[in-house]
Amino acid sequence: MFGRLNHVGVATPSIVRAREHYAGLFGTAAVGEPFDLAEQGVRVCFVDAENTQIELIEPLDDASPVAGFLARNPAGGQHHLCFEVGDLDAAIAQATAAGARVLGSPRIGAHGTRIVFLHPRDMGGVLVELMEAPDGGH
Amino acid sequence: MFGRLNHVGVATPSIVRAREHYAGLFGTAAVGEPFDLAEQGVRVCFVDAENTQIELIEPLDDASPVAGFLARNPAGGQHHLCFEVGDLDAAIAQATAAGARVLGSPRIGAHGTRIVFLHPRDMGGVLVELMEAPDGGH
């Protein structure tokens, strides 16, 4: 079963401007430092809301899947929802049995644990990331 | 300042099918009963994730703003993010001072407290709902 909402992914054409925007909404202390996820072709930055995080995502180049999203949504917007699971392999088996297509193979995500994406067409139009909970959850 | 993420709004063409889908992901006990918000032209249903909720939203008629979203996204998808605030009037003043346009006047939302929406063009492409926290918290 899906667990807590780890983060909401929000695509942005400028992580620098988005950080300023979110610092104004959540306070400067809530906004982390950006870092690259080169394997996924994105630069990300996490913003702390009280009970979850916003992951700001800027593509590193035009080959990034997020670049396609921004071509359709130039101002940026909600990109994906990431839910924690206790056992990623079991969650993939559950999702596959329910007819959801898994996009690619599990890889290491922004929090250092294994992640995988599920096809939005099988998830009511929502791109869903499943993430093995760090240290069994928090 | 913005507080906790009260819910993620997810538009769906069929709240009946979406409920079944989410019951399979989060468990039957996590899925509430649908109810109408006639004033907003939608039928909604809340799904409990561990730390927040998903609000499934189906338009009641073609005049609903959500009907336009579904015309562009027939399978449904992420519609808005709702953040709790302690004082809605102060939050509106803060958002307006930061250049965000407020959509309409405050009204009573799905949780019985005052809510308002901020224009996505001023919020990095994200439609944001601000909601006065129920009973000063959750």
Side-chain angles (χ1 to χ4, degrees):
Chain A
M1 289 294 167
F2 288 12
R4 65 189 295 281
L5 179 70
N6 184 274
H7 62 262
V8 179
V10 171
T12 174
S14 167
I15 219 162
V16 172
R17 287 200 302 275
R19 282 184 84 230
E20 290 176 9
H21 175 69
Y22 278 85
L25 302 176
F26 289 91
T28 307
V31 178
E33 289 300 317
F35 59 98
D36 290 354
L37 285 175
E39 192 188 341
Q40 297 179 42
V42 292
R43 185 165 178 77
V44 302
C45 171
F46 284 92
V47 180
D48 293 325
E50 265 181 55
N51 56 333
T52 189
Q53 291 185 307
I54 310 294
E55 180 189 34
L56 303 173
I57 317 165
E58 180 184 327
L60 286 173
D61 53 50
D62 290 345
S64 163
V66 179
F69 179 92
L70 287 174
R72 296 188 300 278
N73 306 276
Q78 292 184 69
H79 183 262
H80 69 270
L81 297 180
C82 176
F83 294 101
E84 295 179 7
V85 296
D87 178 332
L88 188 66
D89 299 310
I92 290 172
Q94 178 199 357
T96 305
R101 279 162 289 178
V102 172
L103 297 168
S105 302
R107 54 186 182 277
I108 301 300
H111 290 292
T113 65
R114 293 192 309 153
I115 61 120
V116 78
F117 283 89
L118 304 179
H119 201 302
R121 283 201 197 152
D122 306 324
M123 303 300 286
V126 178
L127 177 61
V128 170
E129 179 182 0
L130 297 180
M131 169 185 165
E132 218 153 44
D135 302 324
H138 52 91
Chain B
M1 289 293 168
F2 287 14
R4 65 188 296 279
L5 179 70
N6 183 274
H7 61 262
V8 179
V10 171
T12 174
S14 167
I15 219 161
V16 173
R17 287 201 302 277
R19 283 185 82 230
E20 291 176 7
H21 175 69
Y22 277 85
L25 303 175
F26 288 91
T28 307
V31 179
E33 291 299 319
F35 59 98
D36 292 352
L37 286 176
E39 192 189 339
Q40 296 179 42
V42 293
R43 186 165 176 78
V44 302
C45 170
F46 284 92
V47 179
D48 293 324
E50 268 181 52
N51 55 335
T52 188
Q53 290 185 307
I54 311 293
E55 180 189 35
L56 303 173
I57 317 164
E58 180 185 328
L60 285 174
D61 54 51
D62 290 345
S64 164
V66 179
F69 179 92
L70 287 174
R72 296 188 301 277
N73 307 275
Q78 293 182 69
H79 182 263
H80 69 269
L81 298 180
C82 175
F83 294 100
E84 295 179 6
V85 296
D87 178 332
L88 189 67
D89 298 312
I92 290 172
Q94 179 198 357
T96 304
R101 279 162 290 180
V102 172
L103 298 166
S105 301
R107 53 186 184 276
I108 301 300
H111 291 291
T113 64
R114 293 193 308 154
I115 61 121
V116 80
F117 283 89
L118 303 180
H119 201 301
R121 283 199 197 153
D122 306 325
M123 302 300 286
V126 178
L127 177 62
V128 170
E129 179 182 359
L130 297 180
M131 169 185 165
E132 216 153 45
D135 301 325
H138 49 95

